[in-house]
Amino acid sequence: MVKAIVGANWGDEGKGKITDLFSEASDMIIRFQGGANAGHTIICDYGKFALHQLPSGVFYPHTTNVIGNGVALNIPSFLNELQTLKDGGVPEPNIVISERAQLLMPYHILQDTYEEERLAGQAFGSTKSGIAPFYSDKYAKYGIQVADLFHESHLLSRLEAVCDIKNVLMKHLYNKPTLDPKQLCDELLTYRDKIAPYVGDAFKLVQTALAENKNILLEGQLGAMKDPDFGIYPFTTSSHTIAGFAPVGAGIPPMAVTDVVAITKAYSSAVGSGAFTSEIFGEEADTLRRLGGDAGEFGATTGRPRRVGWFDTVATKFGCAAQGATQAVLTAIDVLGYLDEIKVCVAYEVNGKITDTFPVPSELDHAKPVYETLPGWKSDIRGETNYDALPNNAKAYVNFIEEKIGVPITMVSTGPKRHEITNRL
Ligand code: GDP
């Protein structure tokens, strides 16, 4: 059984919490895209952790956690994360890094930083973690695979070819110091020994797990709005955030994925730039952000304040469809308990026309939200585990959203902790 857990929106929907919860009954958890540029917050028996590259199954000794071939592996940050777990008393997790995953190199981070500097006011709001240069290089065929670390002369000749090109950029576009392939190679070789114990033939491992009918979770990063094809391009990320990419980035047959769980938050939030039609501002936003607490305040990786807004059924319906969602999980409903009334964005007005179709990015910039207002429930429902015990207005809110997004909402999460969740269907 293979289940993908993915975001229906801009990321930060609570995928980490849900992956951690589902990991209890899973054998293998695979990260299939992205890198250290976003985080998943998990609150478990060992405390609160922000994971960036590690799959969210690492808190259970029975799971195998795979960093798939589609991931951008930042080795120093991977090692730091492992250390954080160790320092937090988490038993050594079982981790396998695909030998086909590619390395996020120090020059990717430099390039990202220099590019943001160069663009100044028109920058894309990158997290400067090198993700865009990494994926550009991968598809331009200048990438370095993890396996290359174990073939020194091959590695050096690859680095020489890469540096020829990078140094033109460094010198002439950015006016910065040039790169030395030999020095880079030596740096990589010091990392090699540290990650060697984790590197393996993930493809074979996954194929064996499939043959043995194991329960596999595919863990997505960010959400559909950040997908370079379906999202708010160019304010997207550079790898595919949709479940359709999971088979590629994890190395499994497409038909093996039988369940796609789209995670969506009971209100909207986004980190970074780009269209966010139902965004709110001022005091109204500050209150939601503050009461959102864990769920709302700051990005898990960047510490940047999250932009917040009302639930957007136009974006979420589209996001669920782009994901191919078979079910949805609504998180952080507890956060809305303070409101007398709750607005939900049910359509956009684009160039004088009302539509519930999510527009292409060039039109999205002109979209204005059309709201419906629902009554609030004015009570604290944090930690509730019985769906039927939720206030009627909270259930009506869930029903309303479900009808609009066209995907069954099977679970409603009522708090950040592992078991603060209700089963609805
Ligand atoms: P991810 O990238 O999708 O895993 O999301 P993040 O971890 O970046 O952000 C989600 C935030 O919401 C985290 O701080 C979670 O602890 C928190 N969270 C998840 N589910 C709930 C919930 O049901 N209620 C509340 N209050 N917070 C939640």
Side-chain angles (χ1 to χ4, degrees):
M1 164 86 177
V2 184
K3 201 193 274 283
I5 300 173
V6 287
N9 305 109
W10 296 263
D12 306 327
E13 299 94 347
K15 297 175 295 295
K17 171 191 161 153
I18 303 301
T19 308
D20 169 68
L21 177 70
F22 285 174
S23 294
E24 242 164 7
S26 301
D27 304 295
M28 184 177 273
I29 295 89
I30 313 177
R31 283 284 312 268
F32 61 88
Q33 44 87 221
N37 54 322
H40 304 274
T41 313
I42 292 169
I43 302 175
C44 62
D45 302 343
Y46 301 102
K48 182 173 175 178
F49 295 87
L51 298 180
H52 306 285
Q53 291 181 97
L54 295 179
S56 296
V58 287
F59 300 102
Y60 298 94
H62 72 272
T63 60
T64 302
N65 294 278
V66 177
I67 299 194
N69 51 281
V71 169
L73 180 71
N74 177 329
I75 302 180
S77 128
F78 165 81
L79 294 169
N80 273 343
E81 261 189 82
L82 265 188
Q83 191 57 45
T84 312
L85 257 56
K86 210 181 243 178
D87 295 346
V90 181
E92 174 88 26
N94 183 10
I95 296 171
V96 178
I97 298 173
S98 166
E99 56 193 0
R100 287 185 166 81
Q102 296 200 2
L103 298 180
L104 191 128
M105 304 289 285
Y107 50 75
H108 290 136
I109 297 174
L110 291 177
Q111 229 181 307
D112 217 350
T113 311
Y114 298 161
E115 187 60 12
E116 288 281 303
E117 254 172 57
R118 191 180 72 87
L119 293 172
Q122 283 136 39
F124 293 121
S126 158
T127 58
K128 301 193 189 79
S129 37
I131 295 296
F134 167 91
Y135 281 105
S136 309
D137 278 1
K138 178 171 180 175
Y139 294 110
K141 295 173 282 186
Y142 295 120
I144 309 280
Q145 287 194 333
V146 169
D148 295 343
L149 290 175
F150 301 88
H151 301 92
E152 249 173 87
S153 59
H154 173 76
L155 176 65
L156 184 60
S157 73
R158 295 281 300 155
L159 286 169
E160 282 165 351
V162 175
C163 287
D164 280 349
I165 296 182
K166 297 283 172 206
N167 282 340
V168 176
L169 290 178
M170 293 297 168
K171 212 164 150 181
H172 299 290
L173 185 64
Y174 301 126
N175 205 12
K176 299 283 183 189
T178 53
L179 307 166
D180 174 9
K182 180 73 182 65
Q183 204 180 324
L184 272 169
C185 189
D186 291 344
E187 186 180 344
L188 289 181
L189 293 179
T190 62
Y191 297 152
R192 177 185 65 187
D193 302 335
K194 294 192 179 129
I195 62 156
Y198 305 104
V199 175
D201 186 348
F203 183 70
K204 199 162 160 195
L205 193 76
V206 172
Q207 298 294 313
T208 308
L210 282 169
E212 290 172 354
N213 260 326
K214 298 277 198 221
N215 285 326
I216 300 177
L217 291 183
L218 305 171
E219 180 180 14
Q221 183 214 39
L222 296 168
M225 295 295 122
K226 295 280 186 177
D227 182 82
D229 282 38
F230 293 101
I232 52 170
Y233 189 86
F235 298 98
T236 54
T237 192
S238 301
S239 68
H240 290 290
T241 55
I242 55 168
F245 183 75
V248 180
I252 60 165
M255 300 306 281
V257 186
T258 49
D259 198 3
V260 177
V261 186
I263 316 297
T264 184
K265 206 149 66 181
Y267 60 95
S268 298
S269 74
V271 173
S273 318
F276 180 1
T277 309
S278 63
E279 182 170 13
I280 55 174
F281 303 90
E283 211 175 296
E284 195 178 33
D286 288 342
T287 311
L288 180 55
R289 208 176 355 252
R290 194 179 65 249
L291 295 176
D294 293 331
E297 254 176 320
F298 299 106
T301 296
T302 56
R304 292 187 285 189
R306 287 183 177 140
R307 300 160 69 193
V308 293
W310 303 123
F311 192 92
D312 181 339
T313 64
V314 181
T316 310
K317 183 180 176 183
F318 179 81
C320 285
Q323 292 291 9
T326 52
Q327 53 172 313
V329 173
L330 189 72
T331 62
I333 195 160
D334 50 296
V335 172
L336 301 180
Y338 73 98
L339 290 158
D340 292 323
E341 299 184 317
I342 308 172
K343 282 186 189 162
V344 177
C345 173
V346 294
Y348 294 167
E349 188 192 320
V350 184
N351 300 327
K353 289 204 185 98
I354 304 291
T355 177
D356 63 1
T357 300
F358 190 69
V360 291
S362 43
E363 285 176 13
L364 187 61
D365 287 340
H366 312 292
K368 294 192 188 76
V370 176
Y371 289 116
E372 266 187 49
T373 302
L374 274 68
W377 44 93
K378 295 289 279 180
S379 58
D380 184 3
I381 54 174
R382 186 149 172 165
E384 180 58 64
T385 53
N386 175 9
Y387 185 77
D388 293 331
L390 291 179
N392 285 339
N393 284 353
K395 287 187 273 191
Y397 184 76
V398 178
N399 293 344
F400 183 85
I401 287 174
E402 179 183 64
E403 205 213 307
K404 294 281 180 200
I405 65 174
V407 176
I409 295 175
T410 52
M411 297 169 116
V412 176
S413 174
T414 54
K417 296 198 183 128
R418 191 179 274 170
H419 294 290
E420 290 178 330
I421 195 150
T422 66
N423 283 311
R424 178 164 175 263
L425 300 176

